[in-house]
Amino acid sequence: MISDRVKSNLKDTFVDSLLPKVGLVLLIAILVMALFAPLLATHDPTRTGHFHETGAPYPPMGYSYETQVAQDGEFGEVSVESNSTHVLGTNNIGQDVYSRFLYGARVSVIVGLSSTLLAMLIGVPIGLVAGYYGGRVDDGLMRVADTMLAFPALVLALALIGVFGESPVHVPDPIVMAGFADGMPETIPIPGTVTIVGALVIWVWFARVARGEALSLRNEEYVKAAQSFGTGNAQILRQHILPNSLTPIIVLATIQVAVIILLEASLAYLGFSGTTLSWGYEIERGQDVLRTRPWVSIVPGIGIMLAVISVNLLGDWLRDALDPNIDQSKRGA
Amino acid sequence: MSIAKFLLRRFLQGIFVIWGVITIMFGLRAVSPGDPASLMAGEGATAEIIEQVRVQEGLDQPLYLQYIEYLQGMMVGDFGFSWQARREVSAIVIGRIPATVELAVAATVVAIAIAIPLGVISGTRRNQPADYSATMFSLLGISTPNFWLGLMLILVFAVWFGIPYPSVGTSSLPLSGVSVPYPSSVGLGMVDLPTGRRDVSFGVAVSALVFEQSLSEMGTWLRHITLPAITLGTYFTALITRLTRSGMIDELGKPYVTSVEAKGLPSVLIRYKHVLRNTLIPIITVLGLQIGTLMGGAVITETVFNWPGLGLRLIDALHDRDWPVMQGIVIFIAIAFIIINIIVDALYASLDPQVSDE
């Protein structure tokens, strides 16, 4: 399904240019952060500082963060401890910014991958069937696709979350369960609704690409030959159409991971993610202390940017190397 | 097929899609958990009042009757009644349109003004430092979440450089784990966060300029809109830079460029007049397709800067679980998107007659 020419093309474009290498290095860094977050973290990311341990759910009326800095001694939250152990400082409620950064990578990676996978599982079969059979099935799908695409992605996601609510799924952390990282949270909250909603928002793109591929492949000689031998349609779809349409689907999937990471961050920023352990949510939280503790917002934002850049760079590389229709002179554009 | 026929077909498709959009939104409301009548009656309403509301609003009717009624209302522009604001949804939506349009247009202007020259320079000086910086810039622009960019702009320009900026108190109340930005009037301001809140609308600024020869309103408007417009426009700046660059590279390799060069036309004229014009067609198409991204971005940008447009109202409605307002805004945005796309298609068809033959 991937020819030698394509393989050598992939290799050549990777060796020749700098950007895919940067993308790969960044991606590996983010995956390592996400995988080994409990081992790399210095603090429990959910443990709040002194201020919260007084039992106050949130700062009382009239409490201002300006005074907090002035009276840091009284609130005793950061100044002493932060210089020694909190590498990147603490946020408004005394949680360790560095540890939350690592765990934020985890949530982004899990949501990005699972949502894209789900969208593929929904979109690709529908698109292949529509393109292969054509006719009414195809017309129906295209109208549904048109309708879905009439909604801006974020707006549709917001509408869906408005319906289904936002519920985090608490996934047990294998590293902590195995006893390698004591003191770290045993479960991580994954924004479950966001994962499903993300897939519902982007599946149409997979369906459209798969349809286009099936539409052109169904007229190929080998498909015609298989049909004349009496091979069933399901088998033709599985054995001939699917493997041959995978390349553009993989390229699309790479780019969609970046789309989902940005979507999750945006929803979390707007307060609709359902989990507090997310880069987007952390940026929103830092907004209140932007004047006094800008790093609370700066750090997770850099995380989102690096994750998206890495995926985009690799996506560009795959697209240029795998798609023979694209003029090589445009590479890197 | 003539252009008129092509447009008629696009128009009919558009009507169909709008119907689909309305149906999806109605369906979402129907499957949404929670009883609309008790939400509508407000907190602490007695069972009797809830029942009264249910009958009054026709919520006791079978679903298909409600659906027909809903469609009928939509046809005459009746988007329903807000449960929270106790106002017509259509009035709420109309009141919020100007701010969003101002922001979207300003962002597009910023994007085009920066991206086209940048793309042309990058495309004509390939593999030179200028090209590398432009490529780097567009990569960063496409990958930066715009809410973060907005905050960083506030941080750099207002907080660090201390550029006097209209300041609005925002505060966050932990509300079932969700933070809601409130205007300062709520009186819970914890920190003065400078934002680009729109005090003066473009119309007011223009009329002050025309009728009172006063520039100050215009200045206020510009000061308010600059950071939000940059925030919303950056993604598009990056995108258009990429498109212009690759379009220029394609066009510059074509024979007609060599022939006008041989005629001795100045290279600036060639680049900006002949080559760029041919590059514009794909740019317009992509921009049309990206209007949805622009609208999604507007939701975020308006939230960051407390900009009183449709997006901010949508977020408020979601937090309040104010379904009619949410539905109204989402449907309005989708319809606007569909109409803009039809207009883009029309533009495209008139620029390039081959399109309508497809």
Side-chain angles (χ1 to χ4, degrees):
Chain A
M1 89 199 198
I2 292 181
S3 65
D4 287 342
R5 191 185 59 80
V6 169
K7 270 184 199 153
S8 75
N9 204 359
L10 271 173
K11 199 176 144 220
D12 290 349
T13 43
F14 188 83
V15 174
D16 284 354
S17 44
L18 173 71
L19 293 179
K21 289 177 199 137
V22 175
L24 190 68
V25 169
L26 284 176
L27 185 72
I28 290 172
I30 285 163
L31 288 179
V32 166
M33 272 166 45
L35 263 174
F36 301 112
L39 301 175
L40 297 169
T42 52
H43 292 75
D44 178 344
T46 54
R47 207 185 76 98
T48 53
H50 176 254
F51 179 76
H52 264 236
E53 282 162 10
T54 58
Y58 49 83
M61 293 286 241
Y63 176 85
S64 106
Y65 286 96
E66 309 290 348
T67 54
Q68 178 192 331
V69 169
Q71 307 172 344
D72 235 343
E74 185 184 325
F75 287 97
E77 186 202 322
V78 268
S79 54
V80 186
E81 216 189 347
S82 83
N83 297 333
S84 52
T85 56
H86 296 280
V87 189
L88 294 173
T90 55
N91 66 10
N92 351 6
I93 54 173
Q95 295 166 326
D96 184 53
V97 170
Y98 166 71
S99 303
R100 290 183 74 76
F101 176 70
L102 295 175
Y103 272 83
R106 238 176 187 211
V107 172
S108 273
V109 167
I110 294 177
V111 173
L113 292 181
S114 48
S115 198
T116 309
L117 196 67
L118 191 59
M120 270 169 87
L121 290 178
I122 304 172
V124 172
I126 295 180
L128 288 181
V129 166
Y132 181 72
Y133 288 100
R136 283 240 178 90
V137 186
D138 189 29
D139 283 346
L141 168 82
M142 290 320 284
R143 295 292 84 79
V144 172
D146 285 348
T147 311
M148 296 295 282
L149 293 175
F151 295 98
L154 180 70
V155 173
L156 180 59
L158 284 169
L160 288 170
I161 287 194
V163 175
F164 299 116
E166 66 260 4
S167 45
V169 179
H170 292 273
V171 181
D173 187 331
I175 298 182
V176 179
M177 298 305 256
F180 289 118
D182 285 335
M184 291 296 152
E186 288 184 354
T187 58
I188 30 169
I190 298 301
T193 322
V194 173
T195 309
I196 295 167
V197 163
L200 289 179
V201 170
I202 62 166
W203 71 270
V204 186
W205 296 103
F206 287 98
R208 278 168 66 122
V209 169
R211 168 191 178 264
E213 289 297 307
L215 207 57
S216 65
L217 287 171
R218 71 170 175 180
N219 294 322
E220 293 283 332
E221 293 301 325
Y222 58 86
V223 174
K224 293 254 163 83
Q227 279 168 342
S228 67
F229 287 139
T231 317
N233 284 330
Q235 202 182 345
I236 292 178
L237 274 170
R238 203 170 52 237
Q239 283 186 345
H240 298 293
I241 310 269
L242 177 66
N244 286 303
S245 19
L246 274 183
T247 311
I249 292 171
I250 291 170
V251 175
L252 179 68
T254 318
I255 297 163
Q256 292 299 324
V257 171
V259 172
I260 293 289
I261 290 178
L262 277 177
L263 184 71
E264 190 275 331
S266 304
L267 289 171
Y269 172 79
L270 294 170
F272 294 105
S273 164
T275 167
T276 56
L277 209 57
S278 157
W279 282 336
Y281 183 85
E282 205 61 8
I283 293 175
E284 198 277 334
R285 182 134 63 183
Q287 188 169 315
D288 286 344
V289 288
L290 195 62
R291 218 181 261 281
T292 50
R293 296 176 175 201
W295 58 85
V296 179
S297 287
I298 294 177
V299 171
I302 291 173
I304 300 173
M305 212 163 81
L306 293 180
V308 175
I309 286 180
S310 75
V311 177
N312 276 340
L313 285 177
L314 290 174
D316 284 353
W317 164 59
L318 285 178
R319 189 196 56 204
D320 293 354
L322 295 179
D323 189 348
N325 299 326
I326 289 179
D327 180 2
Q328 287 299 311
S329 67
K330 275 198 233 169
R331 200 192 300 161
Chain B
M1 190 162 59
S2 68
I3 289 188
K5 232 178 182 176
F6 167 74
L7 286 180
L8 182 69
R9 206 186 62 186
R10 280 296 282 116
F11 179 74
L12 292 177
Q13 269 176 9
I15 299 276
F16 181 85
V17 172
I18 289 174
W19 170 73
V21 162
I22 294 173
T23 307
I24 288 180
M25 289 311 291
F26 180 85
L28 281 180
R29 180 173 167 182
V31 298
S32 127
D35 175 25
S38 54
L39 274 172
M40 219 187 262
E43 264 176 61
T46 59
E48 276 166 44
I49 294 179
I50 293 174
E51 278 316 304
Q52 208 179 328
V53 169
R54 196 187 307 279
V55 173
Q56 198 181 320
E57 295 294 321
L59 292 167
D60 53 341
Q61 303 280 326
L63 214 52
Y64 73 93
L65 281 181
Q66 289 186 41
Y67 174 63
I68 290 170
E69 206 163 291
Y70 191 69
L71 275 181
Q72 281 171 341
M74 285 289 161
M75 274 187 230
V76 293
D78 174 12
F79 282 62
F81 197 78
S82 162
W83 306 343
Q84 297 282 335
R86 315 260 163 209
R87 278 176 69 202
E88 291 280 336
V89 172
S90 49
I92 295 175
V93 171
I94 289 170
R96 293 290 183 133
I97 293 174
T100 299
V101 171
E102 266 173 36
L103 182 60
V105 171
T108 314
V109 169
V110 168
I112 291 175
I114 300 174
I116 300 271
L118 205 59
V120 171
I121 292 169
S122 176
T124 47
R125 295 184 197 163
R126 282 182 67 196
N127 302 329
Q128 288 176 26
D131 182 23
Y132 287 130
S133 352
T135 309
M136 205 62 223
F137 164 78
S138 49
L139 180 66
L140 286 177
I142 285 176
S143 310
T144 310
N146 59 0
F147 54 93
W148 187 68
L149 179 69
L151 275 183
M152 292 303 111
L153 288 173
I154 292 174
L155 179 68
V156 170
F157 288 103
V159 180
W160 288 350
F161 291 173
I163 290 172
Y165 216 69
S167 147
V168 171
T170 59
S171 74
S172 296
L173 287 183
L175 199 78
S176 61
V178 172
S179 297
V180 195
Y182 279 92
S184 56
S185 59
V186 178
L188 287 162
M190 291 179 185
V191 59
D192 269 355
L193 188 67
T195 75
R197 189 183 58 159
R198 168 177 173 273
D199 288 336
V200 180
S201 72
F202 184 66
V204 170
V206 167
S207 76
L209 189 69
V210 171
F211 296 110
E212 299 159 30
Q213 274 79 44
S214 147
L215 269 171
S216 70
E217 299 281 284
M218 201 46 128
T220 313
W221 181 77
L222 274 175
R223 212 171 64 226
H224 283 274
I225 204 163
T226 309
L227 291 192
I230 294 174
T231 303
L232 182 56
T234 298
Y235 175 81
F236 294 92
T237 313
L239 193 72
I240 301 172
T241 307
R242 274 185 166 207
L243 289 172
T244 313
R245 179 184 181 271
S246 56
M248 289 296 287
I249 291 172
D250 271 4
E251 285 293 320
L252 282 171
K254 289 190 178 166
Y256 77 90
V257 179
T258 325
S259 88
V260 287
E261 268 172 353
K263 277 186 190 165
L265 281 182
S267 64
V268 172
L269 190 70
I270 297 176
R271 276 179 216 161
Y272 284 91
K273 193 176 166 211
H274 298 276
V275 177
L276 183 60
R277 197 174 53 190
N278 289 332
T279 311
L280 282 180
I281 296 175
I283 294 179
I284 291 177
T285 325
V286 175
L287 277 188
L289 289 172
Q290 291 285 335
I291 294 284
T293 319
L294 185 73
M295 287 173 176
V299 175
I300 297 260
T301 311
E302 287 174 8
T303 313
V304 176
F305 289 96
N306 219 356
W307 189 265
L310 283 169
L312 187 63
R313 191 66 188 83
L314 174 65
I315 298 297
D316 288 345
L318 276 163
H319 282 299
D320 294 344
R321 304 197 63 79
D322 193 345
W323 264 95
V325 174
M326 187 203 111
Q327 266 176 320
I329 293 177
V330 171
I331 290 174
F332 177 81
I333 291 178
I335 291 177
F337 185 34
I338 293 164
I339 292 174
I340 291 170
N341 266 319
I342 293 178
I343 294 172
V344 169
D345 278 354
L347 265 179
Y348 194 37
S350 62
L351 280 174
D352 186 356
Q354 286 176 340
V355 176
S356 46
D357 293 338
E358 131 198 29

